[in-house]
Amino acid sequence: MRSPKDLPLFGGVLCLDFVNSLDWRGRAEPEEYLHTYADLLEWAVGAGALTQAQARPLHDAFTKREAAAALQRAIEFREAAYRVLRAALARKSAPDADLRRINSVTAQARGGSQIRQTRQGFSWNLPEGKNPDIPLSAVALSLSDLLTGDDLQHVRLCGGPECGWLFLDTSKNQKRRWCSMQGCGNRAKARRHYSKTR
């Protein structure tokens, strides 16, 4: 079973890293990293969505049923986000049901958050307290910024045939093909080499 600790963060922006928490989407059986609510919190801290101080009180604050429901909401949002982003990449209309889900979660996230000023500029300040959807709120705010901003045109799908990961292409020539050269890029090179030596 894969752990969020094993998950590389190649998306370049929080919401893409979250979408990539399901690995190998092109396979019959993709690999899931988020099996429990604790996994979601671990991912959120590792990805920089929450600090340890924000995540710590959430670990034991909810019943098993509440934690499972929060995880399910996050997974459903993740899959809706993936479908909307893939539609945007293909220049197709996003599914209405997915947009409704994203809008609903984003409205709740914005309603409980405030913009704060930092040394680097401005950012969303997530709500305080024990709300099981705080990690999801951070992702929803990131996705809303991506979908409505200039960076959407730089989102790419990894060229690995089974990968399915999305990433923000910040390369100078805007020709990045792989989620990472160490992973899918090297596999593609090995396939090319093998086909030449047969």
Side-chain angles (χ1 to χ4, degrees):
M1 190 163 72
R2 306 298 290 269
S3 160
K5 288 179 184 173
D6 304 322
L7 181 61
L9 302 172
F10 295 138
V13 64
L14 182 68
C15 60
L16 296 184
D17 285 329
F18 186 64
V19 162
N20 295 342
S21 63
L22 184 68
D23 204 359
W24 302 114
R25 287 179 179 272
R27 292 181 179 173
E29 293 185 16
E31 293 183 38
E32 177 65 77
Y33 281 89
L34 305 178
H35 304 280
T36 66
Y37 185 68
D39 288 341
L40 177 62
L41 292 176
E42 185 177 312
W43 173 85
V45 170
L50 298 180
T51 65
Q52 284 283 6
Q54 288 172 311
R56 197 173 300 113
L58 301 178
H59 271 281
D60 300 312
F62 313 109
T63 66
K64 285 185 180 179
R65 182 182 227 166
E66 289 169 335
L71 175 65
Q72 186 61 33
R73 287 191 295 274
I75 297 291
E76 288 171 357
F77 182 89
R78 181 188 70 187
E79 297 310 300
Y82 186 75
R83 289 187 293 267
V84 166
L85 288 163
R86 287 296 307 268
L89 285 175
R91 304 222 184 323
K92 294 181 178 175
S93 296
D96 287 341
D98 292 332
L99 279 178
R100 281 195 299 274
R101 181 177 299 280
I102 288 169
N103 280 323
S104 173
V105 172
T106 301
Q108 291 174 3
R110 285 187 187 275
S113 304
Q114 295 181 330
I115 294 174
R116 65 183 170 91
Q117 189 166 14
T118 67
R119 288 182 182 159
Q120 293 77 32
F122 294 89
S123 67
W124 286 104
N125 193 24
L126 295 173
E128 299 291 331
K130 294 180 180 176
N131 178 340
D133 292 323
I134 287 177
L136 179 56
S137 292
V139 173
L141 294 172
S142 170
L143 181 66
S144 68
D145 289 344
L146 179 64
L147 289 176
T148 59
D150 293 337
D151 281 342
L152 182 61
Q153 64 186 315
H154 303 301
V155 174
R156 305 283 183 267
L157 175 67
C158 179
E162 294 181 316
C163 178
W165 276 14
L166 299 173
F167 60 88
L168 202 60
D169 183 1
T170 57
S171 65
K172 192 172 183 180
N173 62 5
Q174 291 288 293
K175 300 223 179 195
R176 181 176 157 194
R177 293 184 57 197
W178 316 108
C179 61
S180 79
M181 274 309 298
Q182 299 84 2
C184 289
N186 279 340
R187 278 189 285 275
K189 283 165 73 174
R191 280 194 301 272
R192 284 195 303 271
H193 177 73
Y194 177 74
S195 66
K196 288 177 184 176
T197 58
R198 288 181 67 189

